[in-house]
Amino acid sequence: MEQITIKTPSKTYPVYLGEKVIPKLGEVLQSLDPAPKNVLIITDHHVGELYLNDIQSELDEKVSYETFQIEPGDSQKSFDNYYACQSFALEIGLDRSSVILALGGGMIGDIAGFVAGTYMRGIRFIQIPTTILAHDSAVGGKTGINHPEGKNMIGVFHQPEAVIYSTDFLSTLPENEIRSGFAEVIKHALIADPSFYDYLNNNIKSLTDLKGEHLLNCLTRGIEIKNEVVSQDEREKGIRAFLNFGHTLGHAIEGERQYKGITHGEAVARGMVFALSLNKKTVQLGNDLKSWLNDLGFAPIPKNLSVPSLINRMKKDKKAAGGTINMVLLEQIGQPTITPYQANDLEKKLTQFLEEN
Ligand SMILES: NC(=O)c1ccc[n+]([C@@H]2O[C@H](COP(=O)([O-])OP(=O)(O)OC[C@H]3O[C@@H](n4cnc5c(N)ncnc54)[C@H](O)[C@@H]3O)[C@@H](O)[C@H]2O)c1
């Protein structure tokens, strides 16, 4: 088992990572001060069917628990479900010493973390990620929900008490979710670590390579890079924005498609190719990335996207200011920068990019 310590100004907490690490859960709950008497597990129906029993059997007799399940899919990261979770927590009498367990991918981690961060002004929670993508989302304390006007627009920073990441849970992930998570691994490599990027490029030629030692290396190094960033900038006053590499266009594509038909990571991956196309020094890297993504079977950019609508969404991005869209670009691998664009300039570049891609 790997143990990585996440250090942020507001909290230091462990990530337990490896095969069958779920037995750590009982230990972690007992080590909390005060130890919780009751626990609320929040999961989606799909993950619940697969792994709820494993979690419940760790809790038996140690604490009393209730479960709240929501439908899978990013469109469920909504006000309605947030409200329903809060109502359920009140009904079952969750109190300030209770703990929420977020069992699932980034969707569940984000909404359950937001419920925990706001219920009675904030209670404790533990992330139990079940997707590759969640190596990113379970660490760093960003929680929240979507608004029809934009993704992740409502939320709070709220760090978990621990992250318990059992890699055996990843064996049931469908292929498009493996790709989605791998996109965030590629992102971490591109913004921070040229040798990690070479390692990925040389070793992950197809999705079947993403298992065993390689999978563990991807998750470990991805989490370490995320930790390096959030430990310096927990609340995104500066360098944490680099983690949004690929996300400005990625989020806009997801929004235009109502979070259906293309996964988060697939949209971000195409967003990274676009960002690389904006700097002459990284155009070739972008072309190479594009053919690697195609080899790995990543979904192409959806057809018939409206560029003005995409740009409008990019203007609403939390990093945008006035008519200026701040794009994360790379000078080279490991050297991200923030470059402001006037919306109409970026619209021209995006039109050309979409014609060519
Ligand atoms: N908070 C952050 O810092 C942060 C960072 C990146 C992404 N995110 C958010 O994460 C979300 C995306 O996360 P995600 O890709 O994990 O999506 P997800 O949680 O929606 O899971 C994707 C699908 O996989 C299924 N699934 C989950 N685990 C499974 C398993 N082990 N086996 C089989 N199926 C499984 C789910 O039921 C769902 O249908 C987005 O909402 C994004 O905004 C947050």
Side-chain angles (χ1 to χ4, degrees):
M1 183 185 71
E2 302 278 332
Q3 183 174 338
I4 304 162
T5 303
I6 307 297
K7 283 192 178 152
T8 72
S10 71
K11 187 171 274 173
T12 296
Y13 54 94
V15 178
Y16 300 108
L17 169 66
E19 281 276 306
K20 302 203 185 322
V21 297
I22 288 304
K24 269 272 162 203
L25 178 59
E27 205 180 292
V28 168
L29 284 170
Q30 290 310 305
S31 71
L32 295 179
D33 184 19
K37 292 198 180 54
N38 48 9
V39 156
L40 170 60
I41 307 167
I42 300 179
T43 189
D44 73 41
H45 285 293
H46 188 193
V47 176
E49 207 170 290
L50 292 165
Y51 299 116
L52 198 51
N53 281 344
D54 296 79
I55 303 304
Q56 288 171 337
S57 57
E58 282 309 314
L59 296 175
D60 276 351
E61 291 164 25
K62 290 182 188 123
V63 287
S64 75
Y65 61 83
E66 297 276 352
T67 304
F68 190 84
Q69 299 197 45
I70 57 187
E71 291 300 315
D74 215 62
S75 55
Q76 301 302 312
K77 217 171 86 177
S78 62
F79 255 121
D80 286 352
N81 280 326
Y82 168 72
Y83 183 79
C85 286
Q86 294 282 14
S87 305
F88 186 73
L90 287 166
E91 267 165 41
I92 61 168
L94 226 59
D95 62 29
R96 298 194 80 174
S97 68
S98 304
V99 167
I100 288 179
L101 304 182
L103 170 66
M107 187 278 278
I108 287 295
D110 279 10
I111 191 169
F114 184 42
V115 172
T118 48
Y119 184 75
M120 296 191 172
R121 299 201 178 85
I123 63 170
R124 298 166 297 175
F125 82 118
I126 293 173
Q127 291 271 18
I128 308 176
T130 64
T131 62
I132 295 177
L133 185 134
H135 84 276
D136 184 10
S137 57
V139 170
K142 274 192 183 178
T143 73
I145 54 174
N146 300 327
H147 186 280
E149 288 293 315
K151 209 171 142 61
N152 300 330
M153 282 294 163
I154 320 287
V156 290
F157 288 95
H158 187 54
Q159 302 289 348
E161 299 302 308
V163 180
I164 301 176
Y165 204 164
S166 208
T167 50
D168 44 303
F169 284 5
L170 303 176
S171 64
T172 48
L173 271 183
E175 277 196 352
N176 63 337
E177 298 301 342
I178 296 175
R179 286 188 197 98
S180 183
F182 187 55
E184 298 282 8
V185 177
I186 296 175
K187 176 198 76 179
H188 283 131
L190 281 172
I191 62 167
D193 187 345
S195 61
F196 183 42
Y197 187 76
D198 286 346
Y199 164 81
L200 296 176
N201 211 229
N202 293 330
N203 290 287
I204 312 300
K205 306 271 186 208
S206 88
L207 293 190
T208 52
D209 296 326
L210 260 178
K211 56 181 188 240
E213 196 69 16
H214 285 326
L215 178 60
L216 196 62
N217 289 342
C218 285
L219 300 176
T220 307
R221 188 66 194 121
I223 292 170
E224 284 169 352
I225 290 170
K226 178 112 188 210
N227 185 32
E228 283 157 23
V229 175
V230 298
S231 63
Q232 294 173 61
D233 180 21
E234 184 177 15
R235 296 200 162 229
E236 202 166 312
K237 304 266 189 251
I239 63 162
R240 186 165 181 164
F242 294 153
L243 293 169
N244 295 308
F245 180 55
H247 283 62
T248 311
L249 178 59
H251 279 165
I253 293 173
E254 283 186 279
E256 283 297 283
R257 280 288 170 261
Q258 274 90 40
Y259 310 106
K260 291 182 188 125
I262 183 162
T263 61
H264 175 71
E266 285 176 318
V268 166
R270 299 300 171 181
M272 290 194 283
V273 176
F274 175 56
L276 292 172
S277 79
L278 293 174
N279 182 349
K280 283 197 184 74
K281 294 180 207 162
T282 57
V283 169
Q284 188 53 47
L285 178 62
N287 291 338
D288 294 345
L289 173 61
K290 180 182 160 186
S291 46
W292 185 26
L293 296 174
N294 292 344
D295 291 347
L296 291 170
F298 273 68
I301 301 175
K303 295 281 170 231
N304 306 322
L305 289 170
S306 152
V307 177
S309 302
L310 287 170
I311 292 289
N312 261 335
R313 286 183 184 273
M314 291 163 86
K315 280 202 276 193
K316 287 185 192 143
D317 187 273
K318 292 189 286 301
K319 276 71 66 186
T324 305
I325 299 170
N326 289 315
M327 294 289 295
V328 182
L329 308 189
L330 295 190
E331 279 299 296
Q332 58 182 34
I333 299 178
Q335 258 188 48
T337 57
I338 307 268
T339 306
Y341 281 88
Q342 287 308 309
N344 51 355
D345 284 348
L346 200 64
E347 187 166 339
K348 284 184 204 136
K349 291 182 191 297
L350 183 56
T351 305
Q352 191 189 342
F353 176 78
L354 292 180
E355 279 165 10
E356 291 167 2
N357 283 272

